[in-house]
Amino acid sequence: MEIYADGASAGNPGPSGIGIVITADGVHEQISIPLGILSNHEAEFIAIKTALAKAIPYNPSFIRLYSDSKVAVDAIEKRYVKNPLFQPHLDAILHFIEPLDLFFIQWIPSASNKKADDLARQAIHKYKKN
């Protein structure tokens, strides 16, 4: 299973949203969720956490997750965050990946994460309309 996850904020903090693309055999899901007023980094952690929550019910044997957030990718790889605001999100992410046979997370440049970014920006737009 491949997952592209992105969090975005219009301002930092500001109206935020997440975008997620999940693909696997027989699975192609696109998710766009408004979050409210958050920092960009918090939106990135929530995007990854939500992506895993949406993917786990498909019972994947492995997940390869892509994110353009170096802060989130590094925190997950090191299993440590400096900012206590991110700790509950990291704990939830680690809980989701613990039972997986294989889990890979990889930083990618923003240009390679365009669909998830578009979905995150759509979520911000939805939030601003309400």
Side-chain angles (χ1 to χ4, degrees):
M1 175 174 283
E2 287 193 332
I3 301 172
Y4 290 81
D6 194 33
S9 297
N12 200 16
S16 301
I18 59 173
I20 300 163
V21 178
I22 300 172
T23 56
D25 289 338
V27 177
H28 187 76
E29 195 171 347
Q30 295 185 12
I31 300 159
S32 176
I33 302 172
L35 297 177
I37 307 296
L38 297 172
S39 73
N40 186 63
H41 289 318
E42 192 169 13
E44 295 280 10
F45 276 96
I46 292 170
I48 294 169
K49 177 177 72 175
T50 304
L52 290 168
K54 298 283 187 181
I56 296 299
Y58 290 112
N59 295 315
S61 56
F62 82 93
I63 291 176
R64 182 179 301 275
L65 192 145
Y66 301 97
S67 170
D68 58 22
S69 170
K70 286 188 179 184
V71 169
V73 170
D74 287 349
I76 293 163
E77 286 178 339
K78 294 175 183 173
R79 298 175 175 261
Y80 171 79
V81 286
K82 287 183 186 174
N83 188 331
L85 181 65
F86 306 148
Q87 190 64 54
H89 304 303
L90 178 60
D91 290 345
I93 290 164
L94 296 176
H95 174 78
F96 283 127
I97 65 177
E98 192 69 33
L100 295 172
D101 292 337
L102 288 171
F103 175 79
F104 300 100
I105 187 162
Q106 183 177 342
W107 176 83
I108 56 173
S110 297
S112 299
N113 205 18
K114 182 137 177 51
K115 185 58 187 171
D117 180 67
D118 289 346
L119 291 165
R121 296 193 183 284
Q122 287 172 25
I124 291 171
H125 186 70
K126 281 186 236 172
Y127 176 80
K128 288 180 172 180
K129 285 175 86 173
N130 290 335

